[in-house]
Every structure is written in structure tokens, then in C-alpha cells.
Amino acid sequence: MFSVEEIIEKYVGGFGPAQLFQVAIVALGVAFDAQNTFVTIFTDDQPSWRCINGSQITETEICTTQSSICEMDTTLWEWERGKEVSVISQWNLVCANTIQAGFPSLFFFMGSLLGCIIVGPLADSWLGRKRTLMLSIVSLSLMGFLTACSPNIWIYSLLRALSGFSRASIGTYCLVLSSELAGRQWRSLISFFVFLFFTLGFLSLPALAYLTRNTFSWRITYIYISILPLAYSLLLLPFIWESPRWLLLRGNSKEALKCLRKMAEMNGRVVPENVAIEDCIAESQTESSLSLLWTTKWARRRLMSTMAVGSGMGLIYYGMPFGVVSLDFNSYLSVTFNALSDIPAAIFSTIILAKAERRRAILLLSLLSGMLCFLCVFYSMGIPDIPNSKNWAHIVSEVGAFLSANTACNVLLIYCLESFPSSVRNSALSMLREAIYVGAIVSPVIVVIGHSNTALSFGLFGIGILISGLFVLGLPETKDQPLYDTLEKQDCQETLLSKTELGSPLLT
């Protein structure tokens, strides 16, 4: 009798054409996730305005480039590229209505938070990884089409919340579904593919905004980013495999072994006919995976520490891309720089996952990100006073802080994946993402502060990630450890391992 891990390592192959096929299709889903997450950077941005030539009401009320639109009559100015360019201009979310401009992002992350709680555990229970991913992508696409038809800011915010609910755990499903088909030595490469596709999705937004800058419309943008996910879910996702680990946990050992044989055949290898797969019914069949996580002492303690670290990552990861447009710098370039930093982040995290200890890497990256945030504070305050290079130094420090937090977040996601067994793995990752979204929910408030006081906002970012990073000190190391299938088995094996490391005699 062999476990899934042993069959993959011994007969299927740790990584081959079969796993590459799976990852290439599955990872594409996170690109659509990235687009829907960060699209409001452009659709909800305040566009430029201009004075209406010859407009003057009185001798004292004249429109100039130094005037404030909140202090002028509306007949003196107009939006430069028309009202359809942004949600802000569409519904006049300026001056007294400025607070409403932050509602869509707030609702989006609140929807994401709720989605993690409700939808995330379905992938561990009866619905499975593959079907949950398909359902989420289709729902996300449909919400995008409906968002394009929003008649007012309230319906728009509600639909953004539903979009957040739909995409809440897409990244989790993609990461888990890809990783559970590969050998332990290939997890870093799997994560690289997933993180890279997220970067490509992020990068497509400033590219789309720039190419359509003269005819840019927030409604058309939502239609653009909704067409491909729908086609993807209907034409590509049906051809991927379900996780054999999940199939086994649901008592479907024949289907799990059949899946492994197909993978081996595609890799040019053979699983012998006399190989039997180890029966392993998940605890979650009789009790929900979330309940198991919180009632199992070691799992609860580990999950809470991991979530504490994730909240600080979310604060910077989602806050800085939205807040960077408040810097005195070209918005297309600043967002592009943040998006491009995802590429070295994916590369660095791949190297770290292959060579270094997870805990130490997360701690050091958190400290570096926090220090760079404090450097941004000094630049925001004009210290040192270097007018010609201040903007570039500021943006480099900001991108460096974002890159460090991004890399730490990538490593943290893989760490969480390795820390929990298959029966609750997706639920644990969903809870981590939930903590990340808590940071994301707080970030719009900090971004609003940053419009008037960038030093304070960067200071809050720095404090948040420094404090959260310290929680990693209470977590165990997972480098080169196998992926377990049940909480009971993992607890037993880790207890034996810890006794071995302490030199205690073991009965075999």
C-alpha cells in the first residue's frame, strides 16, 4: 500500500509534462483574479479636469489650473476625457462625496473575506478543488459583466462585493490543485508559475489602461476583463484533473489511482498494476474542515500565528498599489513598477523556497519591508531635501517595500500549504487569505490618509508589517517536509520527527 506522495515520487514523477499541463491551465486562473482585484486602480481613479474656455461667472470667480473644483461653480470646469472614463467622474464622487469613492474597494475586500469563510471550505469538502475553481471563475466573470451595467455607486459597490466573494479563494484553489500533483522538491517551481501568472494579470491592467487612454471607459474595461475568464472556464478548465489527494480523502481511491496512472502515462512512465493506494478517509467527512482546524489544538495555534503574519502582508500588498497613485509620479509607471515587482518577487520566492528556511525568510523580508516603509516616511517629509531625485528615490523605496512584502507573502502561502494536511489544506489557506483581506480592508483607510499625509500612511504600513512579521517566530519549519493527508497522521508524524531531532529513542 502506497500513499499518494509515494506513488507520485516513485512512479508518476515529481514534475513532468502532466504536471506542466495542469499548472499551465490552472495558474491562468490567478491572472483573472489579479485583474479583478486591481482593476479599480484605474476604473475608480480620479481623472484629470480642465477649465472650460471663456468660463467666468464673476470677476473674482475664474477657473485656473491652481483652482479647486470643490470651490468653483460646476459650469467653470469639466472632466478632461468625459464622465465615462472613471467611476469618480461618472457619479461625481468628489468634494462632499469623496468618502463614497472608497466604498467599492472596501466592499470588494469585505466580500472576499466572506467568500473565504463560506466558499473556501467547499474545496476540502463535497465540491472539490476543480469544481470549486470553475464555479468561482464563472461567477467572477458574470459579476464583471453586471458591474459594467451599474446605474449608481451603491449597486456598483454591491457588485464589487459579489465579485470579491466570487474570487475570494481562486488563488488558493490554483495553488493547492497544482501543488498536490507534484513531488515535494517541485513545490517552489509550482509556486513560481502561479505567482508569475498573477503578475501577468496585474501587468495587463496598466497596459490596457495606457493603450486605451484616449478612449478609456470604466464600463468597457469591466467587459474586457470578463470575457476571457468565461471562455477559460468553459473551454480549458474541464480538461484538468481533480486532485487525487482530495479524491482519496472522499473515499474514491479507484478514481485517484486512475488519475495517477494517466499522469504517469503522460510523463512516459507506468504505475504497476499491483500498486495499491493507501485508503485514507478524511476527518472532514464527518466534521467540517474549518471546525477541525479550530478544535485541533496544534492546528489552531499554528493557524492563528500564520493569520497574524498574513494580516500585515495584506496591509502592504493591497494598500501600496492603490496608494502609490497619490505620489507625485506618473500613475501608469508607478502602477507598472509595482506590478513588475511581482516578477522578481516570484523569482526570489522560488529561490528561497528551494534553498532557505521559510520562517527565517519571512521574518527577514518583513523587517526589510518595514524599514523601507520608514524610509518612504522620510522622503515624504522631505528628508533629505533632494528635489531633483526625491520622486525617484521615493518610488524606488516604495517598490522595494512592496517587493519585500510580496516575496514574504508568496513564501507564507507555500508555508501554509505545507503546514496543514490535505483534509484541511484548502480551508487553512482560505483562512490565511481571509487574514490577508483583513489587512486589505484596513488599507483603503490608510490610502485615504495618504492623500493628505503620505508620511503617516507609510508609517502605518511599516508598523503593521513589522509587528505581524514577529508572529512567525512561534511557527515550526516545513522545508523538505512531506505533505500529509489527515490531521491525525500529521500530528503523529511530526511528534515522532520532533522526538527524533531531540535524540529520543523511538519504537519502530
Side-chain angles (χ1 to χ4, degrees):
M1 300 287 282
F2 294 90
S3 66
V4 173
E5 181 103 0
E6 291 169 335
I7 293 176
I8 290 176
E9 296 281 1
K10 189 171 183 179
Y11 298 111
V12 176
F15 191 83
Q19 286 93 340
L20 182 61
F21 169 79
Q22 177 90 353
V23 174
I25 295 179
V26 172
L28 187 57
V30 298
F32 306 128
D33 178 18
Q35 287 181 332
N36 278 273
T37 300
F38 295 111
V39 66
T40 51
I41 295 176
F42 295 101
T43 60
D44 295 20
D45 185 30
Q46 180 168 322
S48 55
W49 58 273
R50 63 190 173 195
C51 297
I52 299 176
N53 293 333
S55 294
Q56 180 176 346
I57 296 179
T58 68
E59 293 183 358
T60 57
E61 191 167 3
I62 303 174
C63 179
T64 67
T65 54
Q66 288 74 40
S67 302
S68 169
I69 57 177
C70 298
E71 299 173 356
M72 292 188 296
D73 189 274
T74 55
T75 60
L76 293 175
W77 63 276
E78 64 182 1
W79 298 110
E80 195 170 288
R81 292 182 292 160
K83 285 191 173 183
E84 286 286 332
V85 71
S86 168
V87 168
I88 304 296
S89 53
Q90 178 81 73
W91 296 308
N92 197 33
L93 304 180
V94 292
C95 305
N97 298 323
T98 300
I99 188 65
Q100 297 178 17
F103 287 170
S105 293
L106 179 63
F107 279 41
F108 178 82
F109 289 118
M110 289 180 67
S112 298
L113 186 65
L114 189 61
C116 282
I117 299 172
I118 297 176
V119 182
L122 293 179
D124 281 332
S125 57
W126 61 274
L127 200 55
R129 280 64 158 137
K130 176 180 175 179
R131 284 179 292 184
T132 310
L133 177 59
M134 291 182 67
L135 177 64
S136 296
I137 294 288
V138 171
S139 300
L140 182 65
S141 178
L142 294 178
M143 288 305 107
F145 285 118
L146 291 174
T147 302
C149 304
S150 302
N152 55 57
I153 185 61
W154 305 110
I155 299 298
Y156 176 74
S157 298
L158 175 61
L159 289 170
R160 287 299 292 160
L162 293 174
S163 294
F165 184 89
S166 300
R167 55 75 59 184
S169 294
I170 287 177
T172 301
Y173 309 144
C174 293
L175 198 56
V176 170
L177 187 54
S178 299
S179 299
E180 289 187 339
L181 293 176
R184 72 179 71 173
Q185 299 299 326
W186 297 94
R187 293 174 201 157
S188 57
L189 181 62
I190 296 293
S191 66
F192 173 77
F193 276 107
V194 176
F195 299 147
L196 180 62
F197 273 85
F198 189 89
T199 303
L200 295 177
F202 192 175
L203 272 174
S204 68
L205 291 174
L208 176 63
Y210 181 78
L211 292 174
T212 61
R213 62 191 181 279
N214 295 324
T215 58
F216 186 88
S217 166
W218 71 269
R219 295 184 188 275
I220 298 299
T221 300
Y222 275 105
I223 293 176
Y224 283 157
I225 66 171
S226 300
I227 294 174
L228 287 179
L230 186 59
Y232 163 78
S233 59
L234 297 178
L235 301 178
L236 293 179
L237 278 183
F239 296 100
I240 65 172
W241 295 298
E242 179 57 272
S243 167
R245 294 179 184 273
W246 178 81
L247 291 169
L248 184 63
L249 291 170
R250 302 305 296 174
N252 199 343
S253 57
K254 290 184 179 180
E255 190 65 28
L257 191 56
K258 181 180 178 181
C259 176
L260 291 169
R261 292 186 189 281
K262 288 181 179 179
M263 289 171 57
E265 182 181 354
M266 195 169 180
N267 285 342
R269 306 179 69 163
V270 176
V271 177
E273 291 296 329
N274 61 346
V275 167
I277 197 166
E278 186 179 77
D279 287 330
C280 182
I281 305 299
E283 308 104 327
S284 56
Q285 293 221 31
T286 57
E287 191 174 354
S288 73
S289 53
L290 275 180
S291 176
L292 284 166
L293 276 172
W294 291 112
T295 56
T296 306
K297 185 177 180 181
W298 69 267
R300 180 177 66 249
R301 186 166 54 242
R302 188 176 300 185
L303 181 62
M304 289 177 67
S305 295
T306 305
M307 290 174 67
V309 179
S311 62
M313 306 295 179
L315 194 66
I316 287 188
Y317 187 77
Y318 290 104
M320 282 197 166
F322 289 107
V324 74
V325 294
S326 65
L327 299 179
D328 186 15
F329 201 82
N330 183 287
S331 60
Y332 293 112
L333 287 178
S334 58
V335 175
T336 300
F337 289 155
N338 275 269
L340 282 173
S341 70
D342 274 355
I343 296 178
I347 295 173
F348 293 155
S349 57
T350 301
I351 296 172
I352 289 169
L353 289 166
K355 303 293 184 182
E357 293 182 356
R358 279 77 163 123
R359 291 193 316 157
R360 183 177 301 176
I362 294 170
L363 178 61
L364 293 177
L365 288 165
S366 298
L367 292 175
L368 177 59
S369 181
M371 294 303 175
L372 288 171
C373 282
F374 291 133
L375 187 59
C376 289
V377 172
F378 291 124
Y379 282 120
S380 298
M381 297 171 64
I383 306 173
D385 186 13
I386 314 175
N388 292 332
S389 60
K390 176 184 172 183
N391 289 343
W392 277 104
H394 198 168
I395 196 67
V396 168
S397 299
E398 186 276 335
V399 171
F402 179 77
L403 171 61
S404 302
N406 192 353
T407 306
C409 191
N410 290 348
V411 177
L412 182 65
L413 288 169
I414 299 301
Y415 173 83
C416 184
L417 183 149
E418 295 173 338
S419 295
F420 298 92
S422 302
S423 59
V424 296
R425 183 170 297 124
N426 203 87
S427 296
L429 267 172
S430 293
M431 293 301 294
L432 171 58
R433 291 178 71 90
E434 181 180 332
I436 293 173
Y437 295 144
V438 169
I441 289 172
V442 176
S443 63
V445 179
I446 298 179
V447 170
V448 170
I449 294 174
H451 286 305
S452 58
N453 190 338
T454 55
L456 179 58
S457 64
F458 279 115
L460 292 173
F461 282 139
I463 292 171
I465 195 166
L466 282 176
I467 294 175
S468 65
L470 296 176
F471 282 89
V472 78
L473 296 173
L475 294 170
E477 183 54 56
T478 61
K479 185 177 184 297
D480 295 329
Q481 297 301 308
L483 295 180
Y484 299 100
D485 291 323
T486 65
L487 285 163
E488 183 180 357
K489 184 175 181 180
Q490 179 162 343
D491 186 30
C492 178
Q493 292 297 321
E494 288 186 346
T495 300
L496 290 174
L497 182 62
S498 64
K499 288 181 179 179
T500 301
E501 291 174 346
L502 291 172
S504 300
L506 297 175
L507 294 176
T508 59

